[in-house]
Amino acid sequence: MKKTKIVTVLMVAATMVLSGCGMAGQQTMGNILSGAANGETLGNVIASVIGATKVTQKDLIGTWKYSQPGCAFTSDKLLAQAGGEVVAADIKSRLAPYYQKVGVKSSNTSITFNNDGTFAATIAGKKFSGNYTYDEATSKITLQGLLLSINCYAKKNVGGMAILFESSKLLTLLQTMAALSGNAQLQGIGDIAKSYDGLRVGFDMK
């Protein structure tokens, strides 16, 4: 497919996605359309639409380190996915300052999945470990530790993996790990997530 045709499809898809997002979505239109012309963003969109392969149990095994905020939409419709991934580039840039303020960075946030069903994570410098189960059909990971039990979702990215949460679950994780209950930065993360239906947020890992 030619690049001009792809960009046209993305513009239509973005309009469809943003039509249900209210003012917050409308304000991102300029960033979305300019982002669609960016080579890296366009490549990620194409990969998501035509290369949306399931994450297997084997794919999870190893140590994954935080690289940037992550997000994805839950819709399986082709245009919604394409539009959603373009919107995601803007959402990630808006989440980044909040992540920095709550202390999430590449040097102190990671997760290791082991073959024996155990995991060891560090979130903003705080340790979290226990057992995990993985459902390949839904890409759902259940993390069970002493501090809390929480569900998240795995998504393949170009060159890495995203670990994504329902927004309320991510806030619970950050509050528990960093003792940030009531923190204004967490409220900002929640506000961004609430602006979009079917959005999961979390961490892009490498």
Side-chain angles (χ1 to χ4, degrees):
M1 183 182 292
K2 294 182 179 180
K3 181 175 179 179
T4 53
K5 184 178 291 186
I6 295 171
V7 173
T8 300
V9 171
L10 296 181
M11 290 174 67
V12 174
T15 302
M16 293 175 64
V17 172
L18 292 176
S19 64
C21 293
M23 185 60 67
Q26 294 173 19
Q27 291 172 345
T28 68
M29 180 63 79
N31 291 332
I32 292 163
L33 297 182
S34 62
N38 176 275
E40 182 178 355
T41 299
L42 185 58
N44 288 340
V45 170
I46 295 171
S48 177
V49 171
I50 67 175
T53 57
K54 288 288 186 181
V55 178
T56 67
Q57 177 86 26
K58 184 177 179 180
D59 291 331
L60 285 181
I61 304 304
T63 297
W64 300 92
K65 295 186 176 182
Y66 170 79
S67 62
Q68 65 177 354
C71 65
F73 289 90
T74 58
S75 174
D76 291 328
K77 295 180 180 179
L78 179 63
L79 292 181
Q81 282 184 339
E85 285 296 334
V86 179
V87 172
D90 181 72
I91 293 172
K92 289 178 183 182
S93 69
R94 293 168 60 196
L95 287 172
Y98 292 106
Y99 278 32
Q100 292 170 1
K101 289 177 182 178
V102 299
V104 173
K105 49 189 176 182
S106 59
S107 62
N108 68 7
T109 300
S110 64
I111 187 166
T112 298
F113 294 103
N114 299 309
N115 279 308
D116 62 1
T118 61
F119 76 92
T122 304
I123 309 296
K126 303 296 190 300
K127 304 292 185 181
F128 174 37
S129 61
N131 299 308
Y132 76 93
T133 57
Y134 181 59
D135 183 351
E136 291 189 7
T138 61
S139 299
K140 183 171 75 172
I141 307 169
T142 299
L143 304 175
Q144 297 179 317
L146 292 176
L147 291 175
L148 77 164
S149 176
I150 194 167
N151 295 328
C152 55
Y153 299 85
K155 175 182 176 292
K156 277 187 179 179
N157 287 336
V158 176
M161 187 87 66
I163 304 297
L164 305 168
F165 304 79
E166 295 176 3
S167 60
S168 61
K169 301 299 183 183
L170 177 62
L171 298 186
T172 296
L173 176 66
L174 294 175
Q175 287 171 344
T176 302
M177 301 308 299
L180 291 171
S181 180
N183 187 283
Q185 312 312 327
L186 294 181
Q187 183 62 44
I189 294 172
D191 289 344
I192 292 173
K194 289 177 183 177
S195 298
Y196 301 89
D197 292 333
L199 178 68
R200 291 183 181 132
V201 291
F203 315 115
D204 278 353
M205 316 289 274
K206 291 185 177 180

